[in-house]
Amino acid sequence: MRQFVYQIAMMLIGSIASANGLKIDKEYMHSDDHSLRKDTACIQAVEQNITPNFRGLRTLAIRSSHVLDTSSGTIAIYPEVTFSGDYGNAKGSMYCLFGPDKHRITDVAVVFLGLGLGGFEPRGRYHPSKDPSKWKVSSFAHQLAK
């Protein structure tokens, strides 16, 4: 019952605003607790470990989510994500890998189509341009646990 109430609330709200101002629009919902827990953990991990590396990132519009259990862990796949920010927009995907215990996230990653997403802070440290829209990257991953 609690999960049903949560899903209805998420459907009515339609988007989540995080503490750092990032807006997350989700166009899907999960019908089982397992996928819902993995989805929540993955989005939090991306928000904490990936998005701070992109200056001016404002919105993640996520169209779908898939949670797959494997013999060596779990993978959460978000194949249709639009990343919108002050220094450009990009379409791409997000991934979270859960370790063998299937509870702890070990890695998070994003992959962008085309030239990538601008505002990538680590590139800005070495890029000759001071314009963050030119600090593009086509993919980025972060390891949370070894």
Side-chain angles (χ1 to χ4, degrees):
M1 179 68 175
R2 191 177 299 167
Q3 176 192 1
F4 177 74
V5 171
Y6 176 76
Q7 287 177 343
I8 295 297
M10 290 307 297
M11 212 167 48
L12 293 174
I13 293 171
S15 67
I16 304 165
S18 68
N20 64 5
L22 181 69
K23 181 180 173 188
I24 300 170
D25 290 328
K26 292 171 56 172
E27 298 179 17
Y28 63 91
M29 59 186 221
H30 290 286
S31 59
D32 63 286
D33 285 336
H34 172 72
S35 296
L36 184 61
R37 282 192 306 274
K38 297 293 185 257
D39 178 62
T40 301
C42 183
I43 289 175
Q44 285 178 337
V46 167
E47 183 181 354
Q48 293 169 358
N49 298 285
I50 299 287
T51 61
N53 290 284
F54 292 90
R55 183 185 294 183
L57 185 60
R58 300 285 175 228
T59 305
L60 300 181
I62 307 169
R63 294 199 58 201
S64 64
S65 166
H66 308 282
V67 177
L68 307 169
D69 287 321
T70 71
S71 60
S72 58
T74 299
I75 183 168
I77 303 169
Y78 301 81
E80 298 178 75
V81 182
T82 301
F83 301 81
S84 302
D86 296 340
Y87 303 106
N89 304 325
K91 292 192 182 291
S93 51
M94 300 185 325
Y95 305 88
C96 289
L97 299 176
F98 293 79
D101 68 359
K102 299 185 180 183
H103 298 291
R104 186 175 53 129
I105 296 176
T106 60
D107 301 88
V108 292
V110 290
V111 177
F112 306 109
L113 300 174
L115 296 174
L117 183 63
F120 186 60
E121 291 280 0
R123 171 128 323 142
R125 293 184 203 124
Y126 307 103
H127 200 279
S129 174
K130 298 297 177 200
D131 178 3
S133 67
K134 300 204 183 306
W135 305 344
K136 293 190 181 222
V137 66
S138 59
S139 61
F140 179 65
H142 182 81
Q143 184 178 28
L144 279 73
K146 292 182 181 186

